C-alpha cells in the first residue's frame, strides 16, 4: 500500500498527542516530521511532549523541529490551562533533561519548506495548533502552498460560538493574523475541522473508558495524562458543554487527523469561501463562512459538518494499540 506522506504541525496538548498516535498507527501513513509551535503550552514544553509521545510509541526516529514561540503580530497571549500548564495534564514527573539534544537544529519552518519541496505535491500538512508556522512558511516561500498535496486544519468556528472568547476558537484566537493568512493564501485543497464540528460529533464517556483501559503502553500513557485534567472530567465537561452541544468525550485534534487518514470519516461538509475576522473586541479571530458568495473568492475550503462516528471510533481505538511494528 502506498504511503501517505504527512507533516504534523502541533502545539502538543493531550488531544494533539491522541491525533499524533492516530497517525502513527495508520498503516498507510508516513510521518516525515513533526513541527512544533506555541499554543496549549510553551513551544519548549510542546517539543518535550512530542518527544514523549514518540518515545511511548517507539517511533523516536521521526524528526521533531522547534518552531514559533509566539504569534505573528503582537505579544504572546496568556496560554490556556485547558490541558494543564505543560499541555499534558501536569502529571509527568520524569521529564527528559536531555530533550534539547533530540530536537533537530533546523527551524520548524525551514524543515517544512524543505520536506515539501523534496516531495512536490505528495505531502499533506495536518495543522493542529495556531497557524503561525504555516503563515511564516508562505511568507518565506509564496509558492509553498502550491507544493502541498493538501492541508487539514483543526481550528476556527462556523457559527460565531467561541470556546476562549465570545466568538473565537482557541487556535485561531491565539494568532488571528496567521489564521487569516493561511485561509487567504493557501490555495491547495483545504479541509477544516471546526470547534463546532468536533463538539457535535462527540463520543460517549463509556467509549473513553474503554479506549483508555486498553492494556498497551499508549493507552496507559493516555490514561495517565487525562487522569487529573479537568477537560477529561466527565462531570466538569458535561456542565461546561451542555450550553451548546450536550455532554460527551471530544478529542478535538483527532477529527482533523481522522479526515486526513480516511476521507470517508467525513460524511457531510460545506464547501465555501471563508475569512477570519481581524477587527473588533468580540469577533477577532472568528471564522466567517461565505455561503452566499459575498466575498467573491474563487478558493473554497471543505468545512467538515458530519462524521461517521463508527469509523472515527475505530481510528481512535487503534491509535492506542501502539507500539506497532512499522
Amino acid at each position: 500500500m502506498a504511503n501517505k506522506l504527512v507533516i504534523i504541525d502541533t502545539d502538543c496538548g493531550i488531544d494533539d498527542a491522541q491525533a499524533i498516535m492516530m497517525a502513527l498507527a495508520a498503516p498507510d501513513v508516513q510521518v516525515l516530521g513533526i513541527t512544533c509551535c506555541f499554543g496549549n503550552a510553551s513551544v519548549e514544553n510542546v517539543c518535550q511532549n512530542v518527544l514523549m509521545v514518540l518515545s511511548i510509541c517507539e517511533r523516536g526516529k521521526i524528526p521533531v523541529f522547534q518552531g514559533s514561540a509566539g504569534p505573528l503580530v503582537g505579544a504572546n497571549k496568556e496560554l490556556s490551562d485547558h490541558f494543564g500548564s505543560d499541555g499534558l495534564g501536569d502529571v509527568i514527573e520524569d521529564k527528559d533533561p536531555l530533550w534539547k539534544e533530540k530536537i533537530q537544529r533546523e527551524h520548524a519552518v525551514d524543515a517544512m519548506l524543505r520536506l515539501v519541496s523534496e516531495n512536490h505535491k505528495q505531502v499533506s500538512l495536518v495543522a493542529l495548533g495556531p497557524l503561525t508556522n504555516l503563515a511564516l512558511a508562505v511568507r518565506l516561500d509564496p509558492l509553498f502552498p502550491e507544493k502541498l498535496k493538501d492541508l487539514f486544519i483543526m481550528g476556527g468556528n462556523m457559527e460565531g460560538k467561541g470556546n476562549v472568547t465570545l466568538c473565537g476558537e482557541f487556535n485561531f484566537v491565539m494568532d488571528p493574523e496567521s489564521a487569516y493568512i493561511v485561509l487567504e493564501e493557501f490555495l491547495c485543497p483545504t479541509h477544516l475541522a471546526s470547534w463546532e464540528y468536533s463538539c457535535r460529533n462527540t463520543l460517549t464517556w463509556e467509549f473513553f473508558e474503554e479506549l483508555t483501559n486498553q492494556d498497551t503502553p499508549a493507552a496507559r500513557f493516555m490514561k495517565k495524562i487525562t487522569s487529573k485534567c479537568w477537560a477529561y472530567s466527565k462531570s466538569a465537561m458535561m456542565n461546561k458543554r451542555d450550553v451548546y452541544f450536550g455532554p460527551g468525550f471530544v478529542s478535538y485534534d483527532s477529527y482533523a487527523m481522522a479526515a486526513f487518514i480516511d476521507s470517508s470519516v467525513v460524511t457531510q461538509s460545506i464547501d465555501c469561501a471563508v475569512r477570519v475576522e481581524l477587527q473588533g473586541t468580540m469577533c477577532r479571530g472568528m471564522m466567517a463562512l461565505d455561503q452566499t458568495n459575498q466575498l467573491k473568492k474563487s478558493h473554497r475550503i471543505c468545512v467538515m459538518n458530519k462524521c461517521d462516528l463508527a469509523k472515527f471510533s475505530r481510528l481512535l481505538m487503534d491509535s492506542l494499540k501502539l507500539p506497532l511494528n512499522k
Side-chain angles (χ1 to χ4, degrees), residues 21-158:
M21 288 190 282
M22 185 182 284
L24 298 179
D28 61 341
V29 169
Q30 180 182 349
V31 180
L32 294 178
I34 300 179
T35 54
C36 301
C37 67
F38 79 104
N40 283 314
S42 69
V43 71
E44 291 82 8
N45 272 325
V46 169
C47 289
Q48 293 177 73
N49 295 348
V50 170
L51 289 171
M52 204 175 306
V53 171
L54 293 177
S55 175
I56 292 291
C57 299
E58 298 183 4
R59 299 294 295 280
K61 292 183 179 180
I62 294 174
V64 180
F65 305 90
Q66 184 168 331
S68 302
L72 201 63
V73 176
N76 284 3
K77 298 175 178 65
E78 183 177 345
L79 296 172
S80 168
D81 65 349
H82 190 73
F83 298 129
S85 63
D86 68 353
L88 291 185
D90 295 323
V91 295
I92 308 297
E93 297 177 357
D94 52 342
K95 294 190 176 182
D96 185 355
L98 303 177
W99 70 270
K100 287 186 179 180
E101 298 177 13
K102 299 175 182 178
I103 299 295
Q104 303 297 309
R105 293 187 179 183
E106 186 178 20
H107 191 276
V109 177
D110 292 327
M112 194 180 287
L113 294 172
R114 175 180 57 80
L115 290 168
V116 170
S117 293
E118 290 173 354
N119 300 276
H120 188 76
K121 291 285 190 180
Q122 297 180 61
V123 179
S124 298
L125 178 54
V126 179
L128 306 177
L131 299 176
T132 316
N133 286 338
L134 280 68
L136 288 171
V138 76
R139 284 293 173 263
L140 288 172
D141 179 4
L143 298 180
F144 174 68
E146 296 179 20
K147 300 174 185 177
L148 283 171
K149 179 181 178 183
D150 45 27
L151 170 63
F152 293 81
I153 298 171
M154 191 283 136
N157 52 347
M158 298 186 287

Side-chain angles (χ1 to χ4, degrees), residues 6 8 18-26 29 31 257 260-261 326:
V6 66
I8 303 171
Q18 180 78 78
I20 292 168
M21 288 190 282
M22 185 182 284
L24 298 179
V29 169
V31 180
M257 187 61 74
F260 155 68
I261 293 169
K326 191 175 177 185

Side-chain angles (χ1 to χ4, degrees), residues 14-23 25-26 201-204 207-208 210-212 214 216 218-219 222 232 249-258 261 265 307-322:
I14 294 173
D15 59 334
D16 302 69
Q18 180 78 78
I20 292 168
M21 288 190 282
M22 185 182 284
N201 290 281
T202 60
L203 297 167
T204 66
F207 172 81
F208 174 73
E210 182 183 356
L211 177 71
T212 55
Q214 296 180 88
T216 66
M222 185 58 61
Y232 287 87
F249 156 61
V250 185
S251 181
Y252 300 97
D253 290 325
S254 298
Y255 291 88
M257 187 61 74
I261 293 169
V265 168
C307 176
D308 185 325
L309 288 179
K311 290 182 178 179
F312 181 62
S313 298
R314 285 197 293 272
L315 287 172
L316 277 173
M317 195 65 72
D318 289 346
S319 74
L320 296 192
K321 296 186 187 304
L322 293 164

